[in-house]
Amino acid sequence: MTLHDEILEQPAALARQLASARDALGALAVRLRAKPVESFVIAARGSSDHAAIYGQYVLGVRNQLSVGLATPSVVSLYGAHPRVARSLVIGISQSGASPDIVSVLASARRAGAPTLAITNDPASPLAEAAEHVIDLAAGPERAVAATKTYTTSLLAIARLSAALDADTATAASAAAELAALPAFASAALGVESQVEAIARELRAEAGAFDRCVIVGRGFEYATAREWALKLKELARVFADPYSAADFLHGPIALVQPGIPVLVLAPAGAAADGQRELLHDLAARRVATVVVSDDAETRALGRWSIELPPGLPEWLRPVVSILPAQLFAYHATIARGLDPDAPRYLAKVTRTL
Amino acid sequence: MTLHDEILEQPAALARQLASARDALGALAVRLRAKPVESFVIAARGSSDHAAIYGQYVLGVRNQLSVGLATPSVVSLYGAHPRVARSLVIGISQSGASPDIVSVLASARRAGAPTLAITNDPASPLAEAAEHVIDLAAGPERAVAATKTYTTSLLAIARLSAALDADTATAASAAAELAALPAFASAALGVESQVEAIARELRAEAGAFDRCVIVGRGFEYATAREWALKLKELARVFADPYSAADFLHGPIALVQPGIPVLVLAPAGAAADGQRELLHDLAARRVATVVVSDDAETRALGRWSIELPPGLPEWLRPVVSILPAQLFAYHATIARGLDPDAPRYLAKVTRTL
């Protein structure tokens, strides 16, 4: 299996995730209803950390939950044990083998907190350390760059959000929206030839294409972060991801002709601000690539990538990353590099 | 007042912060002892967000507090109100005028949560919205790039951590360590001529010096983030900040001769890992700049910047950013840009 195979396998992987861990999710929802927690804390690194950011938005917006991201080295380097007994502590790791993430869950469990592992290996140390386990069921991921374990992690978190819905009508509509995801994912992957052409043209027009900025906001901030990581690890592009709000706080100074800006601007709460940014960037003659499900917004970019319309905002990050993965893959080839042999990287990073 | 004046003014600004808001800190500590909270939530953007990251470490390690960073757009864009009634909700903003940070505090206060504003303007909307206020007392900051409002924000958080010490001996030793900070800050600024030379040599050796990576870990992760922001907004360098743990999860693929890596490696819990990284980078013939209070560690870098020895780890980020600010200032000049006129930036960013 190559990286490209694994990107294309994602509709099937998402379908497997939808069928996985139903009992575990049900048991966790029952536990949280019987004994509610004050907040959620998520520990993760790399792509899994971007899934955690998605969790902050989806659980915050749909479930009114305050979700914090753990700083694992507070536990693993400094030996401190922040008080989390009244939080659900979640560890996300495809391998389940990162010692610092395991240490956060072990510390939380000793303190009496409910714990959840989201992992592609239900026999891993992380799964062992947690009381509840959601198996990603993504199938073996051989490529060094995470793709299907990222999207299935997002989906697992979306299903957790849905499992916590108290209202039956909300739960029923969420279930229908979740079931439609694999078909949307297939549709999103249909843009590959356009994406390949954009990567090639960008390489030709932006010279070395060794730097770019990526702007997302709200739900799509996680996508901006994950897209940047793929471009770094595969294509060796200095890709700098921002929420639109933070971008205006300084890094906008980086923008100039020759440094493209990739903008996630689908319909929704963040759309107006993103369109304003696109107008600004056009006035500064900056080359942009717009990812959107809205034709008028796409028309504001120098290049654009279509997202299938009709996706509910809370689930769109599961799909919007797919053309971004294809873009990173083709940018890697356009830059003369091998997407299946990224430099210096190992599949499992055993940070203490 | 220019940026350079404000960088050099920081020992005096820190002394003013130490004398400020004693009553407010005392009242907050009494409130939290009478009615303890489950966790802290901090809302901030830009440099203030890096102060919030420092807060995660110092309050986690010294006070066993679980500290989450709010995602303000959950409130401001999506109109959701995550449940934070049993948290202390802190907003950090030098101007106190960012509507999204104000909205997080207003929402929390309506929900009955204790709230704290850390701001340089005690008459600002943020201060109005909060029950408790710590005035940074940094004095007016005219330069667009934040310097003294950043270090005084760190110090305000450190003082909050100390105010929560229950043990009298711990509190007394913390007070002595806090009082020594302005002198350490003066000592740290003494390296300016060396830092200026490094910035010039790096520009000459690394060609355009348009990209770099910055690696910190633990307490110094906040410093890595803030250093990168200064290099972006002032020198227009694509400076990519990482915790050492996340760096190994992918972005290490960016490293190659010609792209310098700036490494924060002072003595402490993260030192061994940082020294290992420096050995690795040397083997890959990557140019490094090491910031450390340890002579043997400094010897591992192509260039090095000395931190004054003897600073306690929990307070070191207040000081370690000072040579980094000087470095960004001189890198800006070395790149032919004006540090007092960064491109496209306004002092107050009114993101909704």
Side-chain angles (χ1 to χ4, degrees), chain A residues 37-39 41 44-47 49 53 56-57 60-61 63-74 76-78 80-84 86-87 98 100 210-213 217-220 229 231-234 236-256 259 269-270 284 313 335 342-346 349 351-352, chain B residues 37-39 41 44-47 49 53 56-57 60-61 63-74 76-78 80-84 86-87 98 100 210-213 217-220 229 231-234 236-256 259 269-270 284 313 335 342-346 349 351-352:
Chain A
V37 295
E38 295 290 331
S39 63
V41 172
R45 294 264 185 216
S47 290
D49 197 36
I53 291 171
Q56 293 190 286
Y57 284 88
V61 171
N63 309 93
Q64 285 73 51
L65 282 161
S66 174
V67 182
L69 306 186
T71 42
S73 56
V74 166
S76 65
L77 274 190
Y78 296 99
H81 296 283
R83 288 187 294 273
V84 289
R86 305 194 49 157
S87 300
S98 294
D100 57 348
D210 53 14
R211 287 170 288 168
C212 72
V213 169
R217 194 159 186 215
F219 278 107
E220 297 301 332
L229 180 58
L231 280 169
K232 285 172 187 174
E233 60 185 349
L234 296 171
R236 301 185 202 162
V237 172
F238 267 69
D240 221 356
Y242 289 99
S243 97
D246 287 316
F247 183 58
L248 301 171
H249 264 268
I252 194 171
L254 295 173
V255 160
Q256 61 189 51
I259 298 180
R284 288 169 185 162
E313 192 166 2
R335 299 195 77 227
R343 190 160 50 166
Y344 308 142
L345 297 179
T349 312
T351 329
L352 249 180
Chain B
V37 295
E38 296 289 331
S39 64
V41 172
R45 295 264 185 215
S47 291
D49 198 36
I53 291 171
Q56 293 191 287
Y57 285 88
V61 171
N63 309 92
Q64 286 73 52
L65 281 161
S66 174
V67 182
L69 305 186
T71 43
S73 57
V74 165
S76 65
L77 273 190
Y78 296 99
H81 297 282
R83 288 188 295 272
V84 289
R86 304 195 50 159
S87 300
S98 294
D100 56 349
D210 53 13
R211 288 170 286 169
C212 73
V213 169
R217 194 157 186 217
F219 278 107
E220 297 301 332
L229 181 58
L231 280 170
K232 285 173 188 174
E233 61 185 348
L234 296 171
R236 301 185 203 162
V237 173
F238 266 70
D240 221 357
Y242 289 98
S243 97
D246 286 317
F247 183 56
L248 301 171
H249 263 267
I252 193 170
L254 294 173
V255 161
Q256 61 188 51
I259 299 179
R284 287 168 186 163
E313 193 166 2
R335 299 195 77 227
R343 189 159 52 167
Y344 308 143
L345 296 179
T349 313
T351 329
L352 247 181

Side-chain angles (χ1 to χ4, degrees), chain B residues 18-289:
Chain B
L18 280 173
S20 162
R22 282 175 199 274
D23 293 350
L25 274 167
L28 179 57
V30 166
R31 158 69 179 79
L32 293 177
R33 254 174 230 133
K35 206 176 153 189
V37 295
E38 296 289 331
S39 64
F40 282 18
V41 172
I42 310 182
R45 295 264 185 215
S47 291
S48 301
D49 198 36
H50 307 153
I53 291 171
Y54 168 70
Q56 293 191 287
Y57 285 88
V58 73
L59 296 161
V61 171
R62 289 191 81 256
N63 309 92
Q64 286 73 52
L65 281 161
S66 174
V67 182
L69 305 186
T71 43
S73 57
V74 165
V75 178
S76 65
L77 273 190
Y78 296 99
H81 297 282
R83 288 188 295 272
V84 289
R86 304 195 50 159
S87 300
L88 172 69
V89 179
I90 304 173
I92 311 176
S93 165
Q94 62 86 14
S95 71
S98 294
D100 56 349
I101 307 302
V102 175
S103 76
V104 171
L105 260 74
S107 164
R109 195 168 183 182
R110 278 195 302 273
T115 48
L116 166 66
I118 298 178
T119 176
N120 206 28
D121 182 356
S124 62
L126 187 69
E128 288 290 311
E131 190 183 342
H132 301 267
V133 179
I134 299 179
D135 179 1
L136 291 178
E141 189 174 62
R142 311 265 183 225
V144 170
T147 54
K148 59 183 181 168
T149 56
Y150 174 69
T151 47
T152 51
S153 293
L154 296 190
L155 180 51
I157 295 164
R159 292 175 69 212
L160 172 59
S161 172
L164 300 177
D165 285 336
D167 177 69
T168 348
T170 310
S173 109
E177 291 173 341
L178 284 163
L181 262 184
F184 276 111
S186 292
L189 289 166
V191 299
E192 179 162 12
S193 58
Q194 292 96 299
V195 167
E196 183 179 0
I198 295 170
R200 221 169 22 218
E201 285 171 46
L202 200 55
R203 171 73 161 100
E205 285 199 20
F209 184 35
D210 53 13
R211 288 170 286 169
C212 73
V213 169
I214 307 182
V215 185
R217 194 157 186 217
F219 278 107
E220 297 301 332
Y221 175 53
T223 310
R225 290 279 297 262
E226 176 63 8
W227 191 358
L229 181 58
K230 294 303 106 163
L231 280 170
K232 285 173 188 174
E233 61 185 348
L234 296 171
R236 301 185 203 162
V237 173
F238 266 70
D240 221 357
Y242 289 98
S243 97
D246 286 317
F247 183 56
L248 301 171
H249 263 267
I252 193 170
L254 294 173
V255 161
Q256 61 188 51
I259 299 179
V261 180
L262 320 181
V263 183
L264 294 148
D272 284 351
Q274 295 295 73
R275 272 194 295 267
E276 213 174 289
L277 176 67
L278 284 165
H279 281 295
D280 266 24
L281 294 171
R284 287 168 186 163
R285 286 170 303 133
V286 170
T288 50
V289 179

Side-chain angles (χ1 to χ4, degrees), chain B residues 284-322:
Chain B
R284 287 168 186 163
R285 286 170 303 133
V286 170
T288 50
V289 179
V290 183
V291 179
S292 182
D293 50 3
D294 175 72
E296 283 180 39
T297 305
R298 287 201 301 276
L300 299 175
R302 164 75 182 79
W303 289 280
S304 71
I305 299 172
E306 184 173 356
L307 283 179
L311 266 163
E313 193 166 2
W314 70 290
L315 291 178
R316 204 166 39 209
V318 183
V319 173
S320 58
I321 190 62
L322 301 176

